[in-house]
Amino acid sequence: MTTRTLTAGPDLTAHLDDLLARLDLPAKVALLSGCDAFHTPGEPAVGLRGMSVSDGPAGVRGERWDERDTALSLPSPTAQAAAWDEQLVTELGGLLAAEARRKQVDVLLAPTLNLHRSPFAGRHFECFSEDPLLTARTGAAYIRGVQAGGVAATAKHYVANESETERLTLDARVDERTLHEVYLAPFEEAVRAGVWLVMSAYNRVNGTTMSESPLLAEPLKGDWGFDGVVVSDWGAVRSTEAAARADQDLAMPGPHPLWGDALVAAVREGRVPEAAVDAKVRRILLLAARVGALESVPGPAAPPAPADPAGLLRRAVAAGSVLLRNEGGVLPLDPARLRRIAVLGQGAAQARIQGGGSAGVFPASVVSPLDGIRTALEGQAEVVHAAGPLLSVRPTPLHPGNARNPATGEPGVLVRYLAEDGGEVHREHRLSGRVLEPAAGPEAVEGAASVEVSALVRPGAAGRWSFSVVGLGAVVLEADGRTLLDTHVTPASQDPTYLHVAPSFRSAEVEVTEDQEILLVARRRFEPDTGRVVALAADPPRPDQDEAVAQAVRAARGADVAVVVVGTTDEIESEGFDRASLALPGRQDDLVRAVVAANPRTVVLVNSGGPVELPWREEVPAVLVGWFPGQEGGHGLADVLFGRAEPGGRLPTTWAATAEGAPLPAVTPEQGVLDYAEGPDIGYRAWLRSGAEPAYWFGHGLGYTTWEYEELTAPQRIDPAAGAEVRVRLRNTGARPGREVVQLYLDAGDGLRLAGYAAVTAGPGERTEAVVRLVPRTFRQWSPQAAGFVDRPGRYTLHAGSSAGRLPLSARSTVG
């Protein structure tokens, strides 16, 4: 698949200049910020319509936060990178483009090209890997897939945006070599792939906030030749003159107060050159031409939508799942030899398919691991389930299964927006008690002073239930006219994710009978800097945790095999905050140990976006990482469990046995500064340099066959300007056909780094050869003195194998 590249050739440049000349200064400045949260303004004078932008990267939410506006949910970026399969990622990008066009979205705010500098990073799941090469190649494939569909991709967050703690203000201090060789490298590859937008990050780098950074000029628009639009992260433009004089093009959301009349005045007073404004407008017009938002330029032809989206998503789940351990060949399971299987854990039935934060989408349906296993074994074996101990702390929003709209009786809730005098401004029926914004858009509730969510709730079980209201400012919660809560919730942060996605909550307990129906009402006032989110939630009495573990043990004891699903929650992995621990939340470790003691044939399925500690990993025979697998997760994982598909994934990040004593960089700034003191040694490079042994190395992953690495052939002398081709011969020594990801690492005397990789397939007993291409950049290093990359001649050692920790073959080459 190739990207439709509309370049600014002489004819198009002349045409865009003609359009630009029709606009006066206020009209030009008006184009430099959004007209609302997710749209850019149009301009009839030049035939420009507004452009729509949407969050990704594992789905296209669309213009509204509305659970009825459903979207396909893809495996998380960590799962995509774990496939080490650029063709698959390009296909997924094409699926996202089709989704975007269906939702009339022009710009997808993805992919995220920041690195897994530390597994403590809360947004880890939204990034691809710890290695700049794997991230660069995966990101470029994603971009090609999206833009081939005529939808703009956005490489974000430029740059050194690897932490959530103080992310709006932290100053990342990165030495010049590390910045260029490690953190900028994926963005450079994105520009080579033709990306149409780059998003400037919230943070500062070496003292300068990114919306004002000279890095936007060099290397981005200068040396690399990026001809697209630099869009800000939402709220990241914090100045008029400094940001306008820099190479920041578009301020979002808008209309931005610092880039409206203030910018017009700055230009007229000579503080900002009008040429700088013109350059920004030209880029926005070029973007409009590329996505078909200019009347005078033919828009892109829509490629055919993928014929079987669910099938592609299901295949992607299997391709990215990583088999960490498989002692005794427990996997794959043979359905014909199963009479009873126990599927255990809260995450087995309530699948976590995506990470928390702004990138969340609402799929029309979700296949949980329990659903997938039951479907796969239908008519063949009994499937029993026990939830085990509870994990979540945040309340559960009402849903059509337990709530009715009190006005209509329909499953769901009633949402009303109220004026200061209590009069109704707008009402709507919603399916979820969690209301992020009005379905009709903010303009529908202009003048509203508060929002109210109400529902007739039938708990369905007697006991002391917890009812909750989520929201900031003055909040009220009532049950059958009785006030349960009347309080003021002060914001704990000004982070956008906290304010607009997951603010604080307050709860009250009520004793209910089994058949009781209760009218619940939650109300919150709108106050400055508190967002619009409100949620009405209900949770049953918490079961005794010891008994919950015991129930799971009883189910496991009578089964032929037990599958335990463990994982993280929205309180653990989410945009907006970092992780305090890599341990699994709750009593999941206790659950695993109790189950395997009762049934030695236990498989553990890990449902997380990034690394977690697995202290029992040597006690269970099989461990499979399913990541956040998207809506088809249950089917894809069942395919792997029962051998219909091979677990195709290899780790994109090194997993520590325990965080204590591991070479993991800090994510918490000190006095506002986050020092990247480790230099280029992150991930496996840090582990190798420290001499420590992780639980699982970068690149590790087992299939359902075995491989013998036989020979590595490399040129004795390499011309650095031409690069090189390296060949690795290997043989499938198992009884099944399989796929192997051959990884090539290079050592120039300063430690190993991934230099290339290639996947091969072979049948039982067959030999095959992987051809790994090493590009010229492999043999170059950043020179501050030359202010660029220079050849690095000398002796290189090449190592080939299946992970950074298993490299059985080596060869030497002389470069230069």
Side-chain angles (χ1 to χ4, degrees), residues 43 55 104 130 221 234 314 327 334 339 390 473 538 583 655 657 695 704 713 718 774 814:
E43 176 49 76
D55 277 309
Q104 298 183 314
E130 70 186 21
K221 290 185 177 179
W234 266 229
R314 180 171 180 166
E327 291 300 301
D334 183 356
R339 290 174 294 108
L390 291 178
W655 282 41
Y704 287 153
T713 305
I718 296 174
L774 303 182
T814 299

Side-chain angles (χ1 to χ4, degrees), residues 132 176-185 680 780-782 789:
E176 198 172 333
R177 179 192 170 195
T178 299
L179 183 64
H180 285 269
E181 292 186 2
V182 178
Y183 295 100
L184 285 170
R780 311 192 84 198
Q781 66 180 15
W782 179 261
F789 283 90

Side-chain angles (χ1 to χ4, degrees), residues 2-303:
T2 57
T3 300
R4 174 188 180 270
T5 302
L6 182 62
T7 57
D11 292 343
L12 182 57
T13 297
H15 178 61
L16 298 182
D17 284 344
D18 176 64
L19 297 180
L20 181 66
R22 302 179 196 178
L23 303 175
D24 61 15
L25 179 61
K28 288 187 288 189
V29 168
L31 296 179
L32 301 186
S33 68
C35 59
D36 58 29
F38 295 108
H39 295 84
T40 65
E43 176 49 76
V46 294
L48 170 67
R49 65 165 173 82
M51 291 178 280
S52 170
V53 307
S54 171
D55 277 309
V60 183
R61 186 180 67 240
E63 301 177 12
R64 302 191 308 275
W65 284 90
D66 186 341
E67 70 281 356
R68 296 166 298 176
D69 186 12
T70 60
L72 293 176
S73 174
L74 281 65
S76 63
T78 42
Q80 295 176 33
W84 296 61
D85 186 340
E86 289 153 53
Q87 177 57 40
L88 173 64
V89 174
T90 299
E91 289 183 58
L92 292 172
L95 183 61
L96 288 168
E99 279 282 275
R101 294 177 73 92
R102 177 177 70 82
K103 289 173 168 276
Q104 298 183 314
V105 166
D106 300 294
V107 176
L108 184 65
L109 300 174
T112 301
L113 299 181
N114 303 116
L115 299 182
H116 295 171
R117 175 175 172 264
S118 170
F120 286 108
R123 211 169 180 176
H124 193 286
F125 59 88
E126 198 173 309
C127 311
F128 290 120
S129 87
E130 70 186 21
D131 183 81
L133 178 64
L134 179 59
T135 296
R137 287 176 57 171
T138 308
Y142 184 107
I143 289 163
R144 288 192 295 268
V146 171
Q147 294 188 172
V151 175
T154 308
K156 66 182 190 181
H157 308 84
Y158 187 84
V159 62
N161 184 242
E162 279 77 27
S163 302
E164 294 297 286
T165 305
E166 300 179 28
R167 64 173 178 154
L168 305 183
T169 57
L170 74 82
D171 184 9
R173 299 285 176 87
V174 194
D175 70 84
E176 198 172 333
R177 179 192 170 195
T178 299
L179 183 64
H180 285 269
E181 292 186 2
V182 178
Y183 295 100
L184 285 170
F187 291 93
E188 182 177 4
E189 189 63 25
V191 172
R192 287 200 191 99
V195 72
W196 293 343
L197 291 95
V198 168
M199 180 184 288
S200 59
Y202 287 123
N203 56 283
R204 291 174 287 165
V205 173
N206 297 331
T208 305
T209 191
M210 281 309 303
S211 60
E212 302 169 9
S213 174
L215 293 170
L216 300 178
E218 288 293 346
L220 180 60
K221 290 185 177 179
D223 185 45
W224 297 351
F226 174 62
D227 67 355
V229 170
V230 174
V231 60
S232 72
D233 206 338
W234 266 229
V237 168
R238 303 178 175 108
S239 66
T240 298
E241 296 174 36
R245 286 197 301 266
D247 277 58
Q248 180 71 49
D249 299 314
L250 178 61
M252 292 295 289
H256 199 292
L258 298 178
W259 274 31
D261 293 341
L263 181 52
V264 172
V267 173
R268 286 176 172 164
E269 294 167 12
R271 291 178 280 120
V272 173
E274 188 166 359
V277 171
D278 290 347
K280 301 176 196 302
V281 173
R282 281 191 192 91
R283 289 173 178 267
I284 291 169
L285 293 175
L286 176 58
L287 172 64
R290 284 170 163 164
V291 301
L294 270 183
E295 291 178 1
S296 54
V297 179

Side-chain angles (χ1 to χ4, degrees), residues 643-707:
R644 296 170 183 167
E646 187 178 31
R650 305 294 184 265
L651 288 180
T653 304
T654 305
W655 282 41
T658 176
E660 186 177 355
L664 304 177
V667 293
T668 302
E670 294 186 8
Q671 297 183 327
V673 173
L674 187 60
D675 190 359
Y676 284 43
E678 71 282 353
D681 291 331
I682 62 170
Y684 64 90
R685 297 179 68 171
W687 285 93
L688 290 166
R689 187 169 291 280
S690 72
E693 185 76 15
Y696 301 105
W697 286 99
F698 171 82
H700 171 72
L702 307 174
Y704 287 153
T705 189
T706 53
W707 298 88

Side-chain angles (χ1 to χ4, degrees), residues 143 301 309 344 445 521 547 579 593 598 653:
I143 289 163
L344 312 170
V445 295
V521 180
E547 176 57 25
R579 298 166 66 183
R593 286 191 163 119
T653 304

